[in-house]
Amino acid sequence: MSRPSVLLADPSRRSILKGSAALALSLGTGLVAKTALANPIKLGEAEVQVFSDGNLSLPMNFVLPEQSPEEIQALLEPHGLASDTYAPDCNVTLYRTGDRLVLFDAGAGANFQPSAGDLLGHLEDAGVDPAEVTDVIFTHGHPDHLWGVLDDFDDPLFSEAQYWVPQAEWDYWRADDTLANTPEERKSFVVGARSRFDAIADQVEMIRPGMEVISGVEAVDTSGHTPGHMSYVLHGGSESLLVVGDAIANAVISFEKPEWRSGTDQDREKGAATRKALLDRIAGDRTKIIGYHLPHPGVGRAEKAGNAYRFVAEG
């Protein structure tokens, strides 16, 4: 079944969406199987919720191309996890602070994988109108984070929002030689990123590491997964929380074997180095994190476990 049309200010489009969403529910498609974090996180006067965009489906030999099947099996099977496929959740963070309603990433939309792209329906279930979103802050330009920024009519879904993009991401995906230098199986990533960035170009502001994007949101360089990948510390009162994007992407592999190089990282060596440094920091500081691909809702902490770490889920 095709995905529901996207909610826009146009009443006819809104009707299309509601009718399609109701039909999806009646057919048992699981559109709202995962919605939002049941107990929103308080950060001073601000509030954080996590919405599911569905999940991805990836072969494990793509995720861990340098490990043998025996190594992978030995790591994952004690946790009851499959060693041949990987189906990570996709967790989109919504941050309410003052008069700002902020999304971190926009989900996959309808044109990446059929198991993803559920964000819009879940926002509507929670009473969040895309037109009310004031800011969309991107961690990076991969399809499952960026492609949902457009609706089914190829218009910006969050029509009133300011879009914030890491400068190095913007430069990389739009560079003249990026498409030619990208492996054939990932060329669609480049084409898709360019079309979305072109569509929102008039509403984009650039982010640099260390910058306060909006009040209480600090940008942290976590490049490696992509050339400009950014994570964000949310500050509120005496509390803080780190939205890590894909810098830490698996609740077992990333924590227990952070040195294993991932096929999902564009720079595998730098991705592993960033992951280890980030885990050391958040474990030492006992920082709460939200991981885009950690088990829904992706909220928890890292603890030292011998020479590695373990993920302690919360929420």
Side-chain angles (χ1 to χ4, degrees), residues 204-262:
V204 166
E205 293 287 343
M206 297 302 162
I207 301 171
R208 292 176 175 80
M211 173 180 170
E212 186 175 46
V213 184
I214 64 172
S215 180
V217 177
E218 175 191 353
V220 179
D221 180 3
T222 49
S223 54
H225 180 68
T226 59
H229 187 284
M230 201 78 71
S231 300
Y232 300 94
V233 182
L234 313 186
H235 300 280
S238 61
E239 302 294 322
S240 63
L241 181 153
L242 180 65
V243 177
V244 300
D246 285 8
I248 299 172
N250 183 283
V252 175
I253 300 167
S254 298
F255 288 80
E256 296 190 19
K257 298 291 184 181
E259 74 280 3
W260 281 9
R261 305 202 306 175
S262 174

Side-chain angles (χ1 to χ4, degrees), residues 5-182:
S5 298
V6 175
L7 177 62
L8 291 176
D10 183 341
S12 65
R13 295 187 183 185
R14 182 184 297 270
S15 299
I16 290 171
L17 172 67
K18 289 186 175 179
S20 299
L23 178 59
L25 286 170
S26 70
L27 293 176
T29 59
L31 180 64
V32 292
K34 296 174 182 175
T35 55
L37 184 63
N39 298 306
I41 300 167
K42 292 289 187 180
L43 292 176
E45 297 299 315
E47 182 179 277
V48 175
Q49 288 178 281
V50 182
F51 290 85
S52 173
D53 190 49
N55 67 273
L56 305 183
S57 180
L58 304 170
M60 191 61 74
N61 60 5
F62 167 74
V63 177
L64 293 174
E66 300 179 16
Q67 269 61 52
S68 69
E70 292 75 20
E71 288 178 292
I72 297 170
Q73 185 176 17
L75 175 64
L76 297 181
E77 284 201 351
H79 296 276
L81 299 174
S83 59
D84 57 344
T85 60
Y86 175 43
D89 288 324
C90 298
N91 304 307
V92 179
T93 300
L94 181 72
Y95 179 55
R96 302 174 186 268
T97 179
D99 61 352
R100 312 295 279 266
L101 187 62
V102 184
L103 275 178
F104 290 87
D105 294 325
N111 298 312
F112 185 46
Q113 291 194 0
S115 56
D118 294 341
L119 175 64
L120 179 62
H122 292 159
L123 289 175
E124 187 180 55
D125 288 339
V128 179
D129 187 331
E132 297 174 347
V133 173
T134 61
D135 303 86
V136 180
I137 301 175
F138 291 103
T139 59
H140 65 297
H142 277 168
D144 51 321
H145 299 255
L146 171 63
W147 286 15
V149 77
L150 298 185
D151 64 22
D152 289 349
F153 302 89
D154 291 331
D155 295 322
L157 172 58
F158 307 101
S159 56
E160 303 302 313
Q162 178 75 64
Y163 296 97
W164 300 87
V165 180
Q167 180 76 62
E169 284 293 287
W170 182 265
D171 293 344
Y172 169 75
W173 293 105
R174 294 167 62 87
D176 291 341
D177 60 349
T178 296
L179 185 62
N181 292 334
T182 299

